[in-house]
Amino acid sequence: NGHYQTIANANILLERIGSADMDATLRSRYVAEAKFIRALMYFNLVRFFGDVPLILKEIRSEAEAYTYLREPAAAVYAQIEKDLTEAERDLPATYTAAADRGRATSGAARALLGKVLLQQKKWAAAETKLQEVVTANTYRLLPSYADVFAPANNNNAEIVFAVQYT
């Protein structure tokens, strides 16, 4: 239920943001973030359950919700790949403001897309995409494994994407 609530929120944003009076660059980033999150939710669902309902627009009634049936996993994966490819294009490589920690980045979209491709056994495409993550020099291994989990070292160079909790 939580995954589909998150997907519903992303779909609402994607449908309604076009009419918002806001900076075009910020709008593009919000759209990319919504696509990233929707892709992440569908990736979890398709791995857990296989064929799942694929909902890509705002549902406006309970009756409409019941019209969605399970879609083949291949169609779900195709949508995940599409969302992540589009998100990667408009997400920044990094954020500098502390308030933006935990937001999706282009590197996170690339890494997740690489993982999606691996799950589908698209080895060559996965290798190419994941190599982009490595060569971007945004992420790196820390000298000590313990440093990754040190409380004072949150959001370190090994962290590609992490939800921020208060």
mmCIF file of all heavy atoms in Angstrom, residues 62-98:
data_model
loop_
_atom_site.group_PDB
_atom_site.id
_atom_site.type_symbol
_atom_site.label_atom_id
_atom_site.label_comp_id
_atom_site.label_asym_id
_atom_site.label_seq_id
_atom_site.Cartn_x
_atom_site.Cartn_y
_atom_site.Cartn_z
ATOM 1 N N GLU A 62 -12.627 5.778 -6.974
ATOM 2 C CA GLU A 62 -12.452 4.390 -6.560
ATOM 3 C C GLU A 62 -12.776 3.447 -7.722
ATOM 4 O O GLU A 62 -12.076 2.457 -7.946
ATOM 5 C CB GLU A 62 -13.358 4.090 -5.364
ATOM 6 C CG GLU A 62 -13.145 2.725 -4.778
ATOM 7 C CD GLU A 62 -13.989 2.483 -3.543
ATOM 8 O OE1 GLU A 62 -14.407 3.448 -2.879
ATOM 9 O OE2 GLU A 62 -14.230 1.294 -3.254
ATOM 10 N N ALA A 63 -13.815 3.782 -8.475
ATOM 11 C CA ALA A 63 -14.198 2.938 -9.616
ATOM 12 C C ALA A 63 -13.077 2.876 -10.644
ATOM 13 O O ALA A 63 -12.797 1.814 -11.207
ATOM 14 C CB ALA A 63 -15.483 3.478 -10.256
ATOM 15 N N GLU A 64 -12.426 3.997 -10.888
ATOM 16 C CA GLU A 64 -11.312 4.021 -11.834
ATOM 17 C C GLU A 64 -10.169 3.132 -11.333
ATOM 18 O O GLU A 64 -9.530 2.432 -12.124
ATOM 19 C CB GLU A 64 -10.805 5.450 -12.040
ATOM 20 C CG GLU A 64 -9.659 5.539 -13.025
ATOM 21 C CD GLU A 64 -9.081 6.941 -13.152
ATOM 22 O OE1 GLU A 64 -9.588 7.882 -12.518
ATOM 23 O OE2 GLU A 64 -8.096 7.075 -13.895
ATOM 24 N N ALA A 65 -9.921 3.153 -10.041
ATOM 25 C CA ALA A 65 -8.842 2.341 -9.472
ATOM 26 C C ALA A 65 -9.042 0.858 -9.767
ATOM 27 O O ALA A 65 -8.078 0.129 -10.007
ATOM 28 C CB ALA A 65 -8.749 2.578 -7.970
ATOM 29 N N TYR A 66 -10.283 0.421 -9.766
ATOM 30 C CA TYR A 66 -10.571 -1.001 -10.006
ATOM 31 C C TYR A 66 -10.443 -1.406 -11.467
ATOM 32 O O TYR A 66 -10.545 -2.588 -11.786
ATOM 33 C CB TYR A 66 -11.964 -1.357 -9.468
ATOM 34 C CG TYR A 66 -11.996 -1.433 -7.964
ATOM 35 C CD1 TYR A 66 -12.742 -0.533 -7.220
ATOM 36 C CD2 TYR A 66 -11.273 -2.412 -7.292
ATOM 37 C CE1 TYR A 66 -12.764 -0.598 -5.836
ATOM 38 C CE2 TYR A 66 -11.286 -2.483 -5.907
ATOM 39 C CZ TYR A 66 -12.036 -1.576 -5.186
ATOM 40 O OH TYR A 66 -12.047 -1.650 -3.815
ATOM 41 N N THR A 67 -10.198 -0.459 -12.355
ATOM 42 C CA THR A 67 -10.038 -0.802 -13.769
ATOM 43 C C THR A 67 -8.616 -1.268 -14.093
ATOM 44 O O THR A 67 -8.381 -1.823 -15.154
ATOM 45 C CB THR A 67 -10.388 0.392 -14.679
ATOM 46 O OG1 THR A 67 -9.445 1.446 -14.459
ATOM 47 C CG2 THR A 67 -11.814 0.868 -14.443
ATOM 48 N N TYR A 68 -7.692 -1.046 -13.175
ATOM 49 C CA TYR A 68 -6.298 -1.424 -13.422
ATOM 50 C C TYR A 68 -6.074 -2.886 -13.059
ATOM 51 O O TYR A 68 -6.358 -3.315 -11.941
ATOM 52 C CB TYR A 68 -5.337 -0.537 -12.620
ATOM 53 C CG TYR A 68 -5.242 0.849 -13.180
ATOM 54 C CD1 TYR A 68 -6.065 1.862 -12.715
ATOM 55 C CD2 TYR A 68 -4.345 1.135 -14.198
ATOM 56 C CE1 TYR A 68 -5.990 3.139 -13.233
ATOM 57 C CE2 TYR A 68 -4.266 2.403 -14.728
ATOM 58 C CZ TYR A 68 -5.091 3.403 -14.237
ATOM 59 O OH TYR A 68 -5.012 4.656 -14.769
ATOM 60 N N LEU A 69 -5.542 -3.628 -14.013
ATOM 61 C CA LEU A 69 -5.197 -5.028 -13.796
ATOM 62 C C LEU A 69 -3.684 -5.163 -13.821
ATOM 63 O O LEU A 69 -2.967 -4.208 -14.140
ATOM 64 C CB LEU A 69 -5.845 -5.894 -14.866
ATOM 65 C CG LEU A 69 -7.376 -5.788 -14.966
ATOM 66 C CD1 LEU A 69 -7.885 -6.595 -16.137
ATOM 67 C CD2 LEU A 69 -8.030 -6.225 -13.668
ATOM 68 N N ARG A 70 -3.200 -6.333 -13.532
ATOM 69 C CA ARG A 70 -1.760 -6.561 -13.546
ATOM 70 C C ARG A 70 -1.214 -6.464 -14.960
ATOM 71 O O ARG A 70 -1.806 -6.958 -15.910
ATOM 72 C CB ARG A 70 -1.460 -7.928 -12.951
ATOM 73 C CG ARG A 70 -1.775 -7.989 -11.461
ATOM 74 C CD ARG A 70 -1.766 -9.384 -10.914
ATOM 75 N NE ARG A 70 -0.499 -10.035 -11.185
ATOM 76 C CZ ARG A 70 -0.013 -11.018 -10.473
ATOM 77 N NH1 ARG A 70 -0.674 -11.481 -9.438
ATOM 78 N NH2 ARG A 70 1.131 -11.569 -10.787
ATOM 79 N N GLU A 71 -0.068 -5.814 -15.077
ATOM 80 C CA GLU A 71 0.655 -5.709 -16.344
ATOM 81 C C GLU A 71 1.843 -6.668 -16.293
ATOM 82 O O GLU A 71 2.393 -6.913 -15.211
ATOM 83 C CB GLU A 71 1.169 -4.280 -16.558
ATOM 84 C CG GLU A 71 0.085 -3.257 -16.769
ATOM 85 C CD GLU A 71 -0.592 -3.377 -18.119
ATOM 86 O OE1 GLU A 71 0.057 -3.837 -19.082
ATOM 87 O OE2 GLU A 71 -1.776 -3.010 -18.207
ATOM 88 N N PRO A 72 2.245 -7.187 -17.434
ATOM 89 C CA PRO A 72 3.423 -8.072 -17.439
ATOM 90 C C PRO A 72 4.651 -7.351 -16.880
ATOM 91 O O PRO A 72 4.829 -6.144 -17.087
ATOM 92 C CB PRO A 72 3.615 -8.403 -18.925
ATOM 93 C CG PRO A 72 2.297 -8.114 -19.562
ATOM 94 C CD PRO A 72 1.663 -7.024 -18.761
ATOM 95 N N ALA A 73 5.482 -8.087 -16.192
ATOM 96 C CA ALA A 73 6.689 -7.520 -15.596
ATOM 97 C C ALA A 73 7.538 -6.799 -16.644
ATOM 98 O O ALA A 73 8.133 -5.757 -16.346
ATOM 99 C CB ALA A 73 7.498 -8.608 -14.901
ATOM 100 N N ALA A 74 7.573 -7.309 -17.856
ATOM 101 C CA ALA A 74 8.368 -6.669 -18.911
ATOM 102 C C ALA A 74 7.887 -5.247 -19.185
ATOM 103 O O ALA A 74 8.696 -4.339 -19.413
ATOM 104 C CB ALA A 74 8.317 -7.497 -20.191
ATOM 105 N N ALA A 75 6.581 -5.018 -19.146
ATOM 106 C CA ALA A 75 6.034 -3.677 -19.357
ATOM 107 C C ALA A 75 6.384 -2.767 -18.180
ATOM 108 O O ALA A 75 6.675 -1.577 -18.368
ATOM 109 C CB ALA A 75 4.524 -3.743 -19.548
ATOM 110 N N VAL A 76 6.370 -3.308 -16.990
ATOM 111 C CA VAL A 76 6.730 -2.537 -15.805
ATOM 112 C C VAL A 76 8.207 -2.146 -15.877
ATOM 113 O O VAL A 76 8.573 -0.994 -15.641
ATOM 114 C CB VAL A 76 6.413 -3.314 -14.510
ATOM 115 C CG1 VAL A 76 6.834 -2.525 -13.278
ATOM 116 C CG2 VAL A 76 4.930 -3.669 -14.448
ATOM 117 N N TYR A 77 9.058 -3.097 -16.225
ATOM 118 C CA TYR A 77 10.486 -2.789 -16.364
ATOM 119 C C TYR A 77 10.726 -1.748 -17.454
ATOM 120 O O TYR A 77 11.579 -0.866 -17.291
ATOM 121 C CB TYR A 77 11.295 -4.058 -16.657
ATOM 122 C CG TYR A 77 11.668 -4.828 -15.416
ATOM 123 C CD1 TYR A 77 11.152 -6.097 -15.183
ATOM 124 C CD2 TYR A 77 12.542 -4.298 -14.477
ATOM 125 C CE1 TYR A 77 11.502 -6.812 -14.043
ATOM 126 C CE2 TYR A 77 12.895 -5.004 -13.343
ATOM 127 C CZ TYR A 77 12.369 -6.256 -13.131
ATOM 128 O OH TYR A 77 12.718 -6.953 -12.000
ATOM 129 N N ALA A 78 10.009 -1.825 -18.543
ATOM 130 C CA ALA A 78 10.161 -0.836 -19.618
ATOM 131 C C ALA A 78 9.827 0.567 -19.105
ATOM 132 O O ALA A 78 10.528 1.538 -19.420
ATOM 133 C CB ALA A 78 9.286 -1.201 -20.811
ATOM 134 N N GLN A 79 8.778 0.680 -18.295
ATOM 135 C CA GLN A 79 8.411 1.986 -17.741
ATOM 136 C C GLN A 79 9.453 2.467 -16.734
ATOM 137 O O GLN A 79 9.785 3.658 -16.695
ATOM 138 C CB GLN A 79 7.031 1.932 -17.088
ATOM 139 C CG GLN A 79 6.565 3.271 -16.552
ATOM 140 C CD GLN A 79 6.422 4.323 -17.639
ATOM 141 O OE1 GLN A 79 5.872 4.049 -18.696
ATOM 142 N NE2 GLN A 79 6.925 5.522 -17.382
ATOM 143 N N ILE A 80 9.975 1.571 -15.947
ATOM 144 C CA ILE A 80 11.024 1.930 -14.981
ATOM 145 C C ILE A 80 12.231 2.488 -15.731
ATOM 146 O O ILE A 80 12.780 3.534 -15.368
ATOM 147 C CB ILE A 80 11.429 0.714 -14.127
ATOM 148 C CG1 ILE A 80 10.280 0.276 -13.223
ATOM 149 C CG2 ILE A 80 12.684 1.006 -13.311
ATOM 150 C CD1 ILE A 80 10.483 -1.088 -12.572
ATOM 151 N N GLU A 81 12.644 1.803 -16.772
ATOM 152 C CA GLU A 81 13.782 2.260 -17.570
ATOM 153 C C GLU A 81 13.506 3.630 -18.178
ATOM 154 O O GLU A 81 14.378 4.506 -18.169
ATOM 155 C CB GLU A 81 14.107 1.250 -18.674
ATOM 156 C CG GLU A 81 14.715 -0.030 -18.164
ATOM 157 C CD GLU A 81 15.050 -1.007 -19.291
ATOM 158 O OE1 GLU A 81 15.462 -0.555 -20.375
ATOM 159 O OE2 GLU A 81 14.895 -2.222 -19.074
ATOM 160 N N LYS A 82 12.305 3.827 -18.685
ATOM 161 C CA LYS A 82 11.927 5.116 -19.279
ATOM 162 C C LYS A 82 11.975 6.221 -18.234
ATOM 163 O O LYS A 82 12.564 7.290 -18.468
ATOM 164 C CB LYS A 82 10.530 5.017 -19.889
ATOM 165 C CG LYS A 82 10.017 6.278 -20.544
ATOM 166 C CD LYS A 82 8.618 6.027 -21.141
ATOM 167 C CE LYS A 82 8.091 7.217 -21.907
ATOM 168 N NZ LYS A 82 7.808 8.382 -21.085
ATOM 169 N N ASP A 83 11.370 5.991 -17.077
ATOM 170 C CA ASP A 83 11.369 7.000 -16.017
ATOM 171 C C ASP A 83 12.790 7.353 -15.579
ATOM 172 O O ASP A 83 13.117 8.529 -15.402
ATOM 173 C CB ASP A 83 10.567 6.514 -14.803
ATOM 174 C CG ASP A 83 9.069 6.729 -14.943
ATOM 175 O OD1 ASP A 83 8.625 7.418 -15.887
ATOM 176 O OD2 ASP A 83 8.324 6.197 -14.092
ATOM 177 N N LEU A 84 13.632 6.352 -15.397
ATOM 178 C CA LEU A 84 14.989 6.617 -14.924
ATOM 179 C C LEU A 84 15.839 7.312 -15.983
ATOM 180 O O LEU A 84 16.640 8.190 -15.654
ATOM 181 C CB LEU A 84 15.655 5.318 -14.464
ATOM 182 C CG LEU A 84 15.079 4.736 -13.184
ATOM 183 C CD1 LEU A 84 15.670 3.364 -12.905
ATOM 184 C CD2 LEU A 84 15.291 5.680 -12.002
ATOM 185 N N THR A 85 15.664 6.956 -17.230
ATOM 186 C CA THR A 85 16.403 7.614 -18.311
ATOM 187 C C THR A 85 16.027 9.084 -18.379
ATOM 188 O O THR A 85 16.883 9.962 -18.529
ATOM 189 C CB THR A 85 16.132 6.906 -19.652
ATOM 190 O OG1 THR A 85 16.561 5.542 -19.527
ATOM 191 C CG2 THR A 85 16.880 7.567 -20.792
ATOM 192 N N GLU A 86 14.733 9.373 -18.267
ATOM 193 C CA GLU A 86 14.268 10.765 -18.290
ATOM 194 C C GLU A 86 14.710 11.510 -17.025
ATOM 195 O O GLU A 86 15.096 12.679 -17.090
ATOM 196 C CB GLU A 86 12.752 10.813 -18.449
ATOM 197 C CG GLU A 86 12.299 10.341 -19.815
ATOM 198 C CD GLU A 86 10.787 10.197 -19.955
ATOM 199 O OE1 GLU A 86 10.041 10.560 -18.999
ATOM 200 O OE2 GLU A 86 10.341 9.737 -21.020
ATOM 201 N N ALA A 87 14.665 10.851 -15.887
ATOM 202 C CA ALA A 87 15.069 11.491 -14.635
ATOM 203 C C ALA A 87 16.555 11.839 -14.645
ATOM 204 O O ALA A 87 16.948 12.939 -14.228
ATOM 205 C CB ALA A 87 14.754 10.579 -13.454
ATOM 206 N N GLU A 88 17.359 10.933 -15.131
ATOM 207 C CA GLU A 88 18.813 11.134 -15.161
ATOM 208 C C GLU A 88 19.173 12.424 -15.897
ATOM 209 O O GLU A 88 20.071 13.149 -15.492
ATOM 210 C CB GLU A 88 19.456 9.927 -15.846
ATOM 211 C CG GLU A 88 20.937 10.017 -16.052
ATOM 212 C CD GLU A 88 21.484 8.882 -16.888
ATOM 213 O OE1 GLU A 88 20.774 7.876 -17.107
ATOM 214 O OE2 GLU A 88 22.630 9.015 -17.342
ATOM 215 N N ARG A 89 18.444 12.717 -16.931
ATOM 216 C CA ARG A 89 18.724 13.881 -17.775
ATOM 217 C C ARG A 89 18.528 15.200 -17.018
ATOM 218 O O ARG A 89 19.263 16.158 -17.247
ATOM 219 C CB ARG A 89 17.807 13.820 -19.002
ATOM 220 C CG ARG A 89 17.996 14.893 -20.028
ATOM 221 C CD ARG A 89 17.039 14.751 -21.188
ATOM 222 N NE ARG A 89 15.653 14.754 -20.717
ATOM 223 C CZ ARG A 89 14.729 13.858 -21.063
ATOM 224 N NH1 ARG A 89 15.026 12.883 -21.896
ATOM 225 N NH2 ARG A 89 13.500 13.938 -20.602
ATOM 226 N N ASP A 90 17.547 15.281 -16.117
ATOM 227 C CA ASP A 90 17.211 16.547 -15.468
ATOM 228 C C ASP A 90 17.596 16.651 -13.996
ATOM 229 O O ASP A 90 17.337 17.678 -13.367
ATOM 230 C CB ASP A 90 15.703 16.810 -15.614
ATOM 231 C CG ASP A 90 15.310 17.114 -17.052
ATOM 232 O OD1 ASP A 90 16.113 17.747 -17.763
ATOM 233 O OD2 ASP A 90 14.209 16.721 -17.464
ATOM 234 N N LEU A 91 18.196 15.618 -13.452
ATOM 235 C CA LEU A 91 18.625 15.677 -12.058
ATOM 236 C C LEU A 91 20.056 16.207 -11.971
ATOM 237 O O LEU A 91 20.890 15.893 -12.824
ATOM 238 C CB LEU A 91 18.557 14.287 -11.412
ATOM 239 C CG LEU A 91 17.166 13.759 -11.136
ATOM 240 C CD1 LEU A 91 17.227 12.295 -10.711
ATOM 241 C CD2 LEU A 91 16.459 14.593 -10.077
ATOM 242 N N PRO A 92 20.351 16.993 -10.946
ATOM 243 C CA PRO A 92 21.729 17.472 -10.786
ATOM 244 C C PRO A 92 22.649 16.349 -10.320
ATOM 245 O O PRO A 92 22.195 15.357 -9.751
ATOM 246 C CB PRO A 92 21.596 18.555 -9.706
ATOM 247 C CG PRO A 92 20.391 18.173 -8.932
ATOM 248 C CD PRO A 92 19.456 17.494 -9.907
ATOM 249 N N ALA A 93 23.939 16.532 -10.548
ATOM 250 C CA ALA A 93 24.920 15.533 -10.112
ATOM 251 C C ALA A 93 25.043 15.534 -8.596
ATOM 252 O O ALA A 93 25.194 14.474 -7.985
ATOM 253 C CB ALA A 93 26.267 15.810 -10.751
ATOM 254 N N THR A 94 24.973 16.700 -7.984
ATOM 255 C CA THR A 94 25.081 16.826 -6.526
ATOM 256 C C THR A 94 24.239 18.008 -6.065
ATOM 257 O O THR A 94 23.781 18.812 -6.875
ATOM 258 C CB THR A 94 26.538 17.077 -6.069
ATOM 259 O OG1 THR A 94 26.992 18.301 -6.660
ATOM 260 C CG2 THR A 94 27.467 15.941 -6.446
ATOM 261 N N TYR A 95 24.083 18.081 -4.758
ATOM 262 C CA TYR A 95 23.428 19.227 -4.117
ATOM 263 C C TYR A 95 24.409 19.805 -3.109
ATOM 264 O O TYR A 95 25.163 19.059 -2.484
ATOM 265 C CB TYR A 95 22.157 18.792 -3.379
ATOM 266 C CG TYR A 95 21.053 18.333 -4.294
ATOM 267 C CD1 TYR A 95 20.880 16.983 -4.566
ATOM 268 C CD2 TYR A 95 20.177 19.243 -4.876
ATOM 269 C CE1 TYR A 95 19.859 16.553 -5.399
ATOM 270 C CE2 TYR A 95 19.155 18.825 -5.702
ATOM 271 C CZ TYR A 95 19.005 17.480 -5.960
ATOM 272 O OH TYR A 95 17.999 17.064 -6.784
ATOM 273 N N THR A 96 24.393 21.089 -2.936
ATOM 274 C CA THR A 96 25.303 21.709 -1.976
ATOM 275 C C THR A 96 24.594 22.090 -0.679
ATOM 276 O O THR A 96 25.216 22.096 0.371
ATOM 277 C CB THR A 96 25.961 22.964 -2.585
ATOM 278 O OG1 THR A 96 24.935 23.843 -3.046
ATOM 279 C CG2 THR A 96 26.883 22.588 -3.737
ATOM 280 N N ALA A 97 23.320 22.401 -0.742
ATOM 281 C CA ALA A 97 22.584 22.822 0.455
ATOM 282 C C ALA A 97 22.271 21.629 1.355
ATOM 283 O O ALA A 97 21.872 20.564 0.869
ATOM 284 C CB ALA A 97 21.299 23.533 0.059
ATOM 285 N N ALA A 98 22.428 21.817 2.647
ATOM 286 C CA ALA A 98 22.139 20.750 3.611
ATOM 287 C C ALA A 98 20.677 20.324 3.527
ATOM 288 O O ALA A 98 20.360 19.143 3.709
ATOM 289 C CB ALA A 98 22.478 21.214 5.021
#
